[in-house]
């Protein structure tokens, strides 16, 4: 069973640009969540998508957006990049069971975004 | 704000020793999970303990949960160099998991 795949692994962008990150969840998982990880703030929840609908949203500005496609793949977009957006962006898919292994997050390896 | 807070922030031990990490949280939870993250990689789910459980084991891992104190501990016995990683507790708030800042564990050979 393939894991969660995030692309690209590394990305360097300039301030003011926009970026799109991609996440393919585990087959059969319909929930995809995104987290931002920085040394100063730790793991911060961005949003969760379930069956193409945003179900939950963290406390991030509107520059951060996402979507989910009918095959459960998800994309995250950050517009007008700022230096502070430099972070590891992690995607996690979640099964709908009540016990492992179909419960709990399975994380991808992340996309390391550097804004210069 | 973060729900869980791990303690200590960093821990260095010798191979073969036991490592204990603690997690405190603020509100009631459905369950608590522990994850491990190797440097710059994604998090790996280690173990889940439900709010009505007090202790759980998985291999060299032992997790306890005290809901009256709103705290949990993760014990890794007979540590190995490969256990070097950051460990996070996560609480299930119903719609998303909230992670603590993590404990950085270094196991020295």
């Amino acid at each position: 069973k393939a894991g969660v795949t995030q692309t690209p692994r590394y990305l360097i962008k300039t301030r003011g640009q926009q970026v799109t990150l991609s996440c393919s969840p585990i087959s059969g998982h319909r929930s995809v969540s995104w987290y931002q990880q920085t040394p100063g703030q730790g793991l911060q929840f961005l949003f969760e998508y379930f069956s193409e609908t945003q179900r939950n949203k963290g406390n991030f500005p509107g520059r951060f957006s996402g979507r989910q496609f009918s095959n459960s793949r998800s994309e995250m977009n950050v517009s007008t990049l700022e230096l502070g957006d430099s972070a590891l962006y992690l995607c996690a898919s979640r099964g709908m069971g009540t016990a492992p292994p179909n419960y709990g997050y399975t994380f991808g390896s992340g996309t390391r975004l550097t804004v210069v | 704000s973060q729900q869980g807070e791990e303690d200590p922030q960093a821990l260095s031990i010798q191979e073969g020793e036991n490592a204990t990490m603690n997690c405190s949280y603020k509100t009631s939870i459905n369950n608590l999970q522990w994850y491990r993250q190797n440097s710059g990689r994604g998090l790996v789910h280690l173990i889940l303990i439900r709010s009505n459980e007090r202790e759980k084991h998985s291999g060299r891992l032992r997790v306890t949960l005290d809901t009256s104190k709103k705290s949990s501990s993760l014990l890794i016995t007979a540590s190995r160099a490969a256990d070097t990683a950051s460990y996070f507790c996560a609480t299930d708030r119903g719609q998303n998991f909230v992670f603590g800042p993590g404990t950085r564990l270094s196991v020295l050979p």
Side-chain angles (χ1 to χ4, degrees):
Chain A
K1 189 172 178 180
V4 177
T5 303
Q6 288 189 249
T7 56
R9 281 285 286 131
Y10 301 94
L11 207 48
I12 299 176
K13 288 286 188 179
T14 305
R15 265 183 307 174
Q17 287 186 313
Q18 74 164 16
V19 67
T20 299
L21 313 181
S22 179
C23 172
S24 293
I26 286 178
S27 177
H29 284 191
R30 290 190 291 163
S31 167
V32 175
S33 296
W34 289 88
Y35 283 81
Q36 180 197 65
Q37 186 178 30
T38 60
Q41 298 297 316
L43 279 152
Q44 300 286 317
F45 173 73
L46 281 155
F47 28 66
E48 182 207 9
Y49 285 87
F50 181 84
S51 293
E52 302 179 64
T53 300
Q54 187 181 88
R55 188 160 72 168
N56 200 11
K57 189 178 189 304
N59 190 25
F60 276 80
R63 300 186 297 108
F64 292 81
S65 63
R67 58 177 175 168
Q68 187 179 33
F69 302 94
S70 58
N71 61 358
S72 294
R73 190 177 70 85
S74 177
E75 286 182 348
M76 191 193 103
N77 184 275
V78 188
S79 62
T80 319
L81 284 166
E82 301 176 359
L83 294 178
D85 297 333
S86 294
L88 180 66
Y89 289 88
L90 292 163
C91 162
S93 74
R94 179 177 175 179
M96 288 298 110
T98 56
N102 293 317
Y103 178 86
Y105 284 151
T106 300
F107 280 87
S109 295
T111 293
R112 172 73 63 184
L113 172 65
T114 302
V115 182
V116 297
Chain B
S1 62
Q2 288 172 330
Q3 166 77 323
E5 294 284 337
E6 289 93 344
D7 164 55
Q9 290 186 341
L11 181 61
S12 256
I13 58 173
Q14 296 292 132
E15 221 169 8
E17 293 181 336
N18 296 340
T20 299
M21 288 158 269
N22 303 299
C23 168
S24 60
Y25 57 91
K26 295 175 181 148
T27 62
S28 61
I29 58 173
N30 298 323
N31 60 64
L32 186 143
Q33 303 167 63
W34 285 90
Y35 288 80
R36 184 189 72 226
Q37 183 181 37
N38 289 91
S39 181
R41 310 291 292 183
L43 282 73
V44 175
H45 183 274
L46 292 176
I47 194 166
L48 175 154
I49 186 165
R50 298 191 184 283
S51 58
N52 61 352
E53 297 175 312
R54 291 297 167 259
E55 188 171 311
K56 204 153 183 187
H57 296 255
S58 177
R60 294 185 295 113
L61 305 179
R62 172 178 168 254
V63 169
T64 62
L65 180 64
D66 187 334
T67 53
S68 66
K69 294 181 180 176
K70 292 186 169 55
S71 68
S72 173
S73 67
L74 170 67
L75 168 67
I76 304 174
T77 60
S79 62
R80 306 165 181 167
D83 295 328
T84 294
S86 292
Y87 292 82
F88 297 85
C89 67
T91 50
D92 183 352
R93 298 295 303 281
Q95 288 189 313
N96 65 285
F97 298 158
V98 179
F99 290 85
T103 292
R104 175 70 191 166
L105 173 66
S106 297
V107 181
L108 308 173

